[in-house]
C-alpha cells in the first residue's frame, strides 16, 4: 500500500491563507451578531465569488469561498431566518444549495453543505413530530433518503452520507420494529417501511464506493434480513393463526431462496433470506409456546417439514441437512399433538417409531460421513416413542416398540456392513440391546422367576451384536461371551437347585451346541458345550456324594489340575527336587 504523503508536503501557503481567512471571516460575521439578512447577503456574496474563482480555475479559492457561503447561510438560518425553529428554513436552503451544485458541479462543498443542512432540517422535523408511528415514519423516510444519496453521490459525499444516515436508520428501524410489535394502529405501515429500509441497506451494499465501510460481505445482508424478519413477525403477532402464517412465511422464504437464487444474487440475498426466515420462524415458535397453542405449533412444524421433504427428495446434495430437519419437525409435531388432543400417546408412539424407520432408511442412502445428524434425529424420535409407549402403562406395547426398533436397527446395521466392511458395529449393538430390553420387559411383566428368561435374551443379544464376526475371524471373541452368559447361570442353578428338568435341558442344549459347532467347524461352541456338560456332570456327581467324599473329589481334582499346570510351567519351588528342599 502506498504511503500517504505528509500534510505539510501537500499544503501550499495560499491554501493556509485561504483557510485562516475563511475561519476569521465566518467567526467575525457570526460573533458580531449580524442580522439574518446580513448573513444571507454575505453568503450570496461568497457564493458569487466562488463562481468567479471557478471560472478562473482557482480550485482552492472556489472551495474555500463555497465553504464560507455555506457556513454563513447555515448561521443565518439557524439564527432564526424567515422560519425560526422550523425545518422549512433549512429545507429551503438545502434546495438552494442543490440548485447551486447543479449549476456549479465542480466544487464538492455545495453538495456537502446541502447534505449538512438536510441534517439540520431532519433534526427539527423529528423534534416537531409527536412520538409514535408518525415519528417512526419520518425517521425511516430520512434513512431512505440518506441511502438514496449514497447511491447517487460522489465517493466522498457518499461515505459522509452513509455515516450520517446510520443514526437515522438505527432509530427508524428500532421505532418501526417496536411499532410493528405494538399491535396498534399503523403496525403494518411501520413494518412495511422497516422492510423497505432494510432493502435499501441491501442495495447500498452493492455500491463499491462505500463497500469498505460496511464490513464483511455477509454482515449487511444478515442485518437487513434480521431487521425485516423482526418487523414482519411483529406485524403478524396478533393471534396463533397469524403466528403460524409468519413462521411458514419464513420457512418458504428461506427454502425458496436456497433453491432458486444463484450467482451474485445468491451471495447477496440468500443470507438475508435465511436471516429473515430464521427470525420469522423463531418468533412464531416462541409466541406459540408462550400461548401454549399446541395445535397451531404442531401445524407449523408439519408445514415446516414439507419444504425439507421436497428438498430431501429432489436435491441429493442437500439431503444430509434436509432429511434430519424433516424428521425432527415431524417428530416434534407428533409429540405436541398429544397435549393438543390430536393424538393419543399410543398413536404418537407409533408415528415416532415410523419416523425412526424413515430416518434409518434415509440414512442408509447417505455417505458414511453425513449420516450422523439423520441417525441422531431418528434416535431422539425412537426414545420419544418409547416414552409415550411407557406412558400408556402397557408393558406389551413398550416391548413391541422396543422389539420393532431393535429389529430395524439391527437390519440397518447389517445392510450398512454389507456396503462398507466394518461399518455398523455400534448400531448393531444398539439394536441387539433393544431386542434384549424387549424380552426383559415381557419377562418382567409376565412375572416369571426363571433366570433363563433374562440370561438367554442377553446371550442372544451378545451373539446378535457380534453379527458378521460369528461367521468369520476368531471364534472366541464372537461366540464365547454369549455362550458363557447362557451356560454359566443355568449350570450353577442345575447343580445347586433341586429338580431334574433344568439339568436335562442344560445337557440337551450343551449337546446341541457341541454338535452344531463341530458341524460348522467352529471351535468355541464345541469347547463351551463340552465344558458345560462336564461341569454339570461333575457338579451333579459332587452333590450326590456324601460331603467328605465330595470334598475329597473336589480337592483331588484341583490338585490334579494344579500339578499338571506346574509340570508344564514350573515356577518357584515347583522346579526343585524334593531332596533338594530344606
Amino acid at each position: 500500500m502506498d504511503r500517504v504523503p505528509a500534510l505539510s508536503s501537500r499544503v501550499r501557503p495560499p491554501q493556509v491563507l485561504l483557510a485562516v481567512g475563511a475561519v476569521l471571516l465566518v467567526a467575525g460575521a457570526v460573533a458580531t451578531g449580524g442580522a439574518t439578512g446580513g448573513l444571507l447577503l454575505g453568503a450570496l456574496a461568497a457564493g458569487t465569488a466562488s463562481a468567479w474563482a471557478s471560472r478562473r480555475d482557482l480550485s482552492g479559492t472556489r472551495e474555500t469561498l463555497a465553504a464560507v457561503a455555506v457556513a454563513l447561510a447555515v448561521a443565518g438560518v439557524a439564527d432564526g431566518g424567515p422560519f425560526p425553529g422550523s425545518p422549512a428554513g433549512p429545507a429551503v436552503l438545502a434546495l438552494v444549495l442543490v440548485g447551486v451544485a447543479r449549476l456549479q458541479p465542480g466544487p464538492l462543498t455545495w453538495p456537502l453543505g446541502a447534505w449538512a443542512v438536510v441534517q439540520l432540517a431532519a433534526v427539527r422535523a423529528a423534534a416537531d413530530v409527536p412520538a409514535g408511528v408518525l415519528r417512526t415514519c419520518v425517521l425511516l423516510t430520512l434513512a431512505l433518503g440518506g441511502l438514496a444519496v449514497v447511491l447517487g453521490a460522489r465517493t466522498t459525499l457518499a461515505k459522509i452520507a452513509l455515516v450520517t444516515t446510520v443514526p437515522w436508520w438505527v432509530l427508524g428501524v428500532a421505532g418501526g420494529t417496536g411499532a410493528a410489535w405494538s399491535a396498534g394502529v399503523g403496525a403494518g405501515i411501520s413494518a412495511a417501511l422497516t422492510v423497505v429500509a432494510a432493502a435499501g441497506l441491501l442495495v447500498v451494499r452493492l455500491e463499491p464506493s462505500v463497500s469498505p465501510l460496511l464490513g464483511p460481505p455477509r454482515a449487511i445482508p444478515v442485518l437487513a434480513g434480521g431487521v425485516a424478519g423482526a418487523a414482519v413477525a411483529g406485524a403478524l403477532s396478533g393471534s396463533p393463526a397469524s403466528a403460524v402464517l409468519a413462521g411458514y412465511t419464513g420457512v418458504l422464504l428461506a427454502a425458496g431462496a436456497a433453491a432458486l437464487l444463484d450467482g451474485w444474487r445468491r451471495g447477496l440475498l440468500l443470507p438475508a433470506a435465511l436471516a429473515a426466515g430464521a427470525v420469522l420462524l423463531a418468533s412464531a415458535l416462541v409466541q406459540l409456546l408462550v400461548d401454549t397453542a399446541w395445535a397451531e405449533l404442531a401445524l407449523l412444524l408439519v408445514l415446516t417439514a414439507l419444504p425439507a421433504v421436497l428438498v430431501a427428495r429432489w436435491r441429493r446434495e442437500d439431503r444430509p441437512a434436509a432429511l434430519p430437519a424433516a424428521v425432527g419437525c415431524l417428530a416434534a409435531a407428533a409429540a405436541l399433538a398429544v397435549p393438543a388432543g390430536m393424538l393419543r400417546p399410543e398413536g404418537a408412539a407409533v408415528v415416532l417409531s415410523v419416523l425412526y424407520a424413515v430416518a434409518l432408511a434415509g440414512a442408509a442412502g447417505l455417505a458414511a460421513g453425513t449420516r450422523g445428524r439423520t441417525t441422531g434425529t431418528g434416535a431422539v424420535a425412537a426414545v420419544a416413542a418409547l416414552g409415550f409407549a411407557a406412558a400408556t402403562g402397557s408393558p406389551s406395547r413398550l416391548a413391541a416398540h422396543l422389539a420393532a426398533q431393535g429389529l430395524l436397527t439391527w437390519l440397518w446395521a447389517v445392510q450398512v456392513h454389507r456396503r462398507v466392511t466394518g461399518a455398523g458395529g455400534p448400531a448393531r449393538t444398539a439394536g441387539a440391546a433393544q431386542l434384549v430390553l424387549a424380552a426383559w420387559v415381557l419377562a418382567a411383566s409376565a412375572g416369571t422367576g426363571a433366570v433363563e428368561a433374562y440370561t438367554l435374551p442377553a446371550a442372544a443379544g451378545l451373539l446378535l451384536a457380534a453379527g458378521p464376526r460369528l461367521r468369520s475371524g476368531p471364534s472366541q471373541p464372537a461366540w464365547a461371551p454369549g455362550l458363557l452368559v447362557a451356560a454359566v447361570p443355568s449350570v450353577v442353578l442345575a447343580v445347586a437347585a433341586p429338580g431334574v428338568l433344568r439339568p436335562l435341558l442344560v445337557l440337551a442344549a450343551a449337546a446341541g451346541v457341541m454338535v452344531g459347532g463341530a458341524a460348522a467347524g467352529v471351535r468355541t461352541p464345541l469347547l463351551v458345550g463340552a465344558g458345560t456338560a462336564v461341569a454339570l456332570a461333575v457338579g451333579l456327581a459332587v452333590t450326590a456324594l456324601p460331603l467328605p467324599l465330595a470334598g475329597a473329589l473336589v480337592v483331588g481334582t484341583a490338585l490334579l489340575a494344579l500339578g499338571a499346570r506346574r509340570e508344564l510351567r514350573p515356577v518357584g519351588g515347583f522346579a526343585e527336587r524334593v531332596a533338594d528342599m530344606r
Side-chain angles (χ1 to χ4, degrees), residues 236 238-247 287-288 293 296:
L236 296 176
S239 65
S242 60
V244 172
L245 176 60
Q287 181 183 349
L288 294 175
E296 289 81 2

Side-chain angles (χ1 to χ4, degrees), residues 67-384:
V68 170
V70 171
L72 292 177
V74 171
V77 171
D79 188 50
F83 308 99
S86 170
V92 172
L93 178 58
L95 292 176
V96 172
L97 292 176
V98 170
V100 174
R102 295 296 298 272
L103 294 175
Q104 296 185 25
L108 184 61
T109 304
W110 300 123
L112 283 177
W115 180 247
V117 176
V118 166
Q119 300 303 301
L120 176 60
V123 171
R124 290 185 176 181
D128 291 343
V129 176
V133 176
L134 186 57
R135 177 177 289 182
T136 298
C137 294
V138 171
L139 293 174
L140 289 173
T141 302
L142 293 173
L144 289 172
L147 295 177
V149 171
V150 172
L151 295 176
R154 285 181 280 181
T155 301
T156 302
L157 179 58
K159 292 180 178 180
I160 295 174
L162 177 63
V163 173
T164 54
T165 299
V166 168
W168 300 114
W169 192 90
V170 172
L171 292 174
V173 163
T177 305
W181 280 93
S182 65
V185 178
I189 297 175
S190 299
L193 284 175
T194 303
V195 172
V196 174
L201 197 61
L202 279 178
V203 176
V204 169
R205 188 67 185 82
L206 297 174
E207 179 60 39
S209 61
V210 297
S211 180
L213 301 177
L214 298 178
R218 295 173 61 91
I220 291 300
V222 170
L223 174 62
V227 166
V232 175
L236 296 176
S237 62
S239 65
S242 60
V244 172
L245 176 60
Y248 194 50
T249 300
V251 172
L252 292 180
L253 178 63
L260 299 177
L261 294 176
D262 57 3
W264 67 268
R265 296 177 184 84
R266 187 176 184 88
L268 177 67
L269 299 179
L270 181 58
L274 293 178
V279 171
L280 283 168
L281 181 59
S283 300
L285 292 176
V286 170
Q287 181 183 349
L288 294 175
L289 283 173
V290 172
D291 295 341
T292 63
W294 306 124
E296 289 81 2
L297 186 55
L299 175 61
L300 176 58
L301 289 171
V302 171
L303 294 174
T304 302
L306 293 181
V309 171
L310 295 177
V311 170
R313 174 65 180 85
W314 297 109
R315 295 177 65 90
R316 186 177 183 86
E317 64 276 11
D318 295 328
R319 193 171 296 168
L323 188 57
V327 172
C329 289
L330 292 175
L336 291 171
V338 175
M342 303 166 65
L343 281 178
R344 296 177 62 84
E346 51 267 29
V350 172
V351 173
L352 290 168
S353 291
V354 170
L355 289 174
Y356 177 57
V358 171
L360 290 180
L366 300 178
T370 61
R371 295 183 187 133
R373 285 182 291 178
T374 303
T375 54
T377 306
V380 173
V383 172

